[in-house]
Amino acid sequence: EIVLTQSPGTLSLSPGERATLSCRASQSVSSSYLAWYQQKPGQAPRLLIYGASSRATGIPDRFSGSGSGTDFTLTISRLEPEDFAVYYCQQYGSSLMYTFGQGTKLEIK
Amino acid sequence: QVQLQESGPGLVKPSETLSLTCAVSGYSISSGYYWGWIRQPPGKGLEWIGSIYHSGSTYYNPSLKSRVTISVDTSKNQFSLKLSSVTAADTAVYYCARHVSRRQFDYWGQGTLVTVSS
């Protein structure tokens, strides 16, 4: 089973700042199989990025994804008030199962 | 627009079977895609439970496989989850979602909280 470790656990930033969230896999992951989600309190996760770097429909271009192998990054170029939430990475692995990272909470500083 | 809606009991007794249904609208399950279940214990992260294709082929999280059954009813455009022998550790918000094989979950239901308690 591939384990995804996200860092930091909590990120405190101000609106307008740049956010960089990390997702590290215990084994190499195909970029095609790596996605990022945003979850706000009381809501279902929302797909942001798929294939490591492709934005989902309707996602603003301030969100971008990058990385390959075992290291992936979600970047939010200029934080808007609505971006403060929990972010999860997710992968599909050779063991025929999907796993999620433990999440990064992005909070207002 | 694709919409998913979970339904089922919000309270289940320990050792009993949890049963949930996900009704899909705006897309025919028979047209393709995989349909999955994901859960989230209160205050914790996300765990994939299992998925089903419209043909009925399934695959499950190995850690839950012995207790999970996912089925599909294409005539009603819905799919279902059964989790047997539940304990308090199974208390969670249960989400249904659509996904491409080996890829991302693109449409999610709003989630339903299931509490395991006597």
Side-chain angles (χ1 to χ4, degrees), chain B residues 17-67:
Chain B
T17 296
L18 178 160
S19 296
L20 296 174
T21 296
C22 181
V24 179
S25 59
Y27 188 85
S28 172
I29 285 180
S30 299
S31 296
Y33 284 94
Y34 279 76
W35 306 87
W37 290 95
I38 301 103
R39 70 180 183 178
Q40 185 172 36
K44 296 187 178 181
L46 299 160
E47 180 182 38
W48 171 72
I49 298 170
S51 297
I52 190 166
Y53 194 53
H54 68 84
S55 62
S57 62
T58 55
Y59 55 122
Y60 302 130
N61 186 324
S63 69
L64 298 169
K65 186 175 182 178
S66 63
R67 299 193 292 129

Side-chain angles (χ1 to χ4, degrees), chain B residues 2 4 27 33-36 96-100 104-107:
Chain B
V2 181
L4 297 90
Y27 188 85
Y33 284 94
Y34 279 76
W35 306 87
C96 57
R98 187 184 85 166
H99 68 97
V100 179
Q104 64 279 358
F105 297 85
D106 58 357
Y107 288 95

